[in-house]
Amino acid sequence: MTQLYHYLADAVLLFHFLFVGFVVGALLLTLFGGYRGWLWVRNYRFRLVHLFCIFVVMLQSWLGVICPVTTLEMWLRGQAGDKQYSGSFIGHWLEYLLYYRAPEWVFILAYSLFALLVALTWVYLPPKKKLS
């Protein structure tokens, strides 16, 4: 059973990594796609989901709330008997890329500035509910 928890923890970590990739990648694609004239980067639902995702991250940082995805992963690792990221190859490298050490104010500032940049894309590259 502990092996199952270990694999579930790795799956949660992978989801977390993909979430971060979506938040960062969607902004980069929106900016680049806006410059290139790609219509899909103005898709209202895509942009709304992106804005919601970064808003949740920013709000968590302001409130000092630990990400529930991180909490779930740590619980699963505890159930598996893992105290650190010493498990699988995937778990080790995703942890290395996703988690880093810095003072809390650095994260709050970074998330807030990133959210502001996402919000500015709504002003300078507004989404369209219906693409022609």
Side-chain angles (χ1 to χ4, degrees):
M1 189 65 159
T2 59
Q3 194 68 15
L4 175 63
Y5 284 117
H6 183 76
Y7 289 137
L8 289 172
D10 283 351
V12 170
L13 180 60
L14 178 61
F15 168 79
H16 204 177
F17 184 75
L18 293 173
F19 180 87
V20 171
F22 169 73
V23 170
V24 173
L27 177 61
L28 295 174
L29 286 171
T30 298
L31 294 172
F32 184 73
Y35 173 76
R36 300 284 299 174
W38 298 344
L39 291 179
W40 70 268
V41 299
R42 291 183 179 258
N43 181 284
Y44 185 78
R45 287 184 183 153
F46 165 72
R47 298 284 297 281
L48 192 60
V49 168
H50 184 234
L51 183 65
F52 176 77
C53 288
I54 189 58
F55 178 77
V56 168
V57 170
M58 181 187 70
L59 189 60
Q60 286 174 340
S61 73
W62 286 357
L63 297 175
V65 175
I66 296 174
C67 176
V69 177
T70 301
T71 303
L72 175 60
E73 180 200 348
M74 292 297 106
W75 181 82
L76 289 167
R77 293 216 183 274
Q79 296 301 307
D82 294 343
K83 296 300 177 198
Q84 298 178 355
Y85 290 99
S86 58
S88 72
F89 175 81
I90 293 172
H92 172 76
W93 285 105
L94 290 178
E95 183 270 333
Y96 176 78
L97 294 171
L98 190 59
Y99 301 112
Y100 43 92
R101 307 283 183 251
E104 189 173 334
W105 68 266
V106 172
F107 294 103
I108 294 169
L109 179 63
Y111 297 151
S112 298
L113 290 174
F114 196 90
L116 177 63
L117 187 55
V118 170
L120 286 174
T121 64
W122 278 67
V123 174
Y124 294 105
L125 189 64
K128 297 179 181 178
K129 287 192 178 184
K130 294 199 181 210
L131 298 174
S132 44

